């Protein structure tokens, strides 16, 4: 199998600003993640819990990231993104696999996440890794445009329970 052109590793302090800048760029798309511009990059950079954040790097650039908020009563809540130019090349899959492994290693019993119903790429990615749709929050997120968007809730049990 050819070697992957990217690597997955735990986030380090020096990844904070690149990851927050990537977050701001994806927020500009106003499509996949709930955040919309303007993103306060310094504040976002400071907010990453490095212990629960993984990054994808190519050469020395951060091209993706996944973070697990919590634990909340034993479950972790995922957030993730991949740089536009790197999508469709396996980065998202590698990040989700690493987050599942990380969650198991931490003894979490479950991972959960929220995704917009129109985000077909993300929903297919999560399904591919075993996440199931558990529900739908209606008109849940107010967009800058004033529109109210639904959210799909997905979850993956990590143990045998
Ligand atoms: C969703 C996202 C993380 C996917 O990352 P990615 O690196 O492009 O995903 P991968 O290349 O690893 O693809 C993995 C799987 O996802 C699905 N997928 C990815 N892109 C897809 C697309 N455009 N359409 C349909 N399915 C898609 C496929 O099932 C794919 O598996 P396959 O290659 O065996 O068909 C990426 O599109 C992204 O960052 N989007 C913007 C931010 C975002 O939406 N974050 C998630 C918020 S819930």
């Amino acid at each position: 199998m050819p070697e992957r052109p990217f690597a997955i590793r735990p986030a380090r302090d020096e990844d904070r600003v690149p990851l927050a800048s990537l977050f701001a760029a994806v927020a500009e798309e106003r499509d996949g993640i709930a955040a919309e511009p303007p993103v306060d990059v310094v504040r976002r950079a400071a907010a990453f819990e490095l212990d629960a954040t993984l990054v994808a790097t190519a050469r020395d650039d951060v091209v993706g990231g996944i973070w697990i908020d919590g634990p909340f009563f034993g479950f972790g809540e995922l957030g993730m993104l991949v740089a536009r130019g790197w999508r469709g090349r396996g980065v998202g899959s590698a990040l989700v696999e690493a987050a599942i492994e990380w969650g198991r290693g931490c003894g979490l019993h479950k991972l959960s996440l929220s995704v917009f119903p129109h985000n077909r790429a993300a929903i297919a990615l999560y399904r591919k890794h075993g996440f199931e749709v558990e529900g739908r929050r209606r008109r849940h997120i107010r967009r800058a445009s004033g529109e109210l968007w639904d959210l799909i809730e997905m979850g993956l049990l990590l143990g045998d329970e």
Side-chain angles (χ1 to χ4, degrees):
M1 227 162 103
E3 205 168 298
R4 296 196 300 209
F6 59 86
I8 307 293
R9 61 162 172 78
R12 303 175 190 143
D13 203 41
E14 63 266 28
D15 300 321
R16 286 184 183 280
V17 171
L19 187 55
S21 302
L22 187 53
F23 184 92
V26 175
E28 294 276 352
E29 296 174 24
R30 296 184 189 273
D31 186 46
I33 62 174
E36 291 184 88
V39 169
D40 182 334
V41 170
V42 172
R43 201 165 159 182
R44 190 67 193 87
F48 287 114
E49 290 288 345
L50 293 183
D51 289 352
T53 303
L54 302 163
V55 289
T57 59
R59 303 222 170 95
D60 282 331
D61 293 334
V62 172
V63 299
I66 193 161
W67 49 91
I68 303 105
D69 289 333
F72 307 105
F73 308 103
F75 74 88
E77 180 88 15
L78 286 191
M80 74 178 298
L81 44 78
V82 172
R84 194 163 217 165
W86 275 87
R87 292 181 196 158
R89 297 163 70 178
V91 176
S93 250
L95 285 167
V96 170
E97 278 167 19
I100 291 171
E101 197 179 315
W102 182 93
R104 283 212 173 93
C106 289
L108 299 181
H109 74 277
K110 184 175 181 181
L111 292 174
S112 67
L113 58 89
S114 303
V115 57
F116 290 130
H118 62 257
N119 195 346
R120 290 212 203 115
I123 292 170
L125 165 66
Y126 301 135
R127 278 192 196 283
K128 184 177 170 182
H129 292 280
F131 284 79
E132 292 177 2
V133 171
E134 297 186 335
R136 185 174 186 123
R137 291 174 186 265
R138 305 210 177 262
R139 297 166 68 79
H140 198 62
I141 299 279
R142 187 188 300 279
R143 305 297 288 169
S145 65
E147 287 172 28
L148 299 176
W149 287 7
D150 290 4
L151 272 185
I152 302 283
E153 299 297 319
M154 299 184 78
L156 173 71
L157 285 166
L158 297 178
D160 303 324
E161 49 282 88

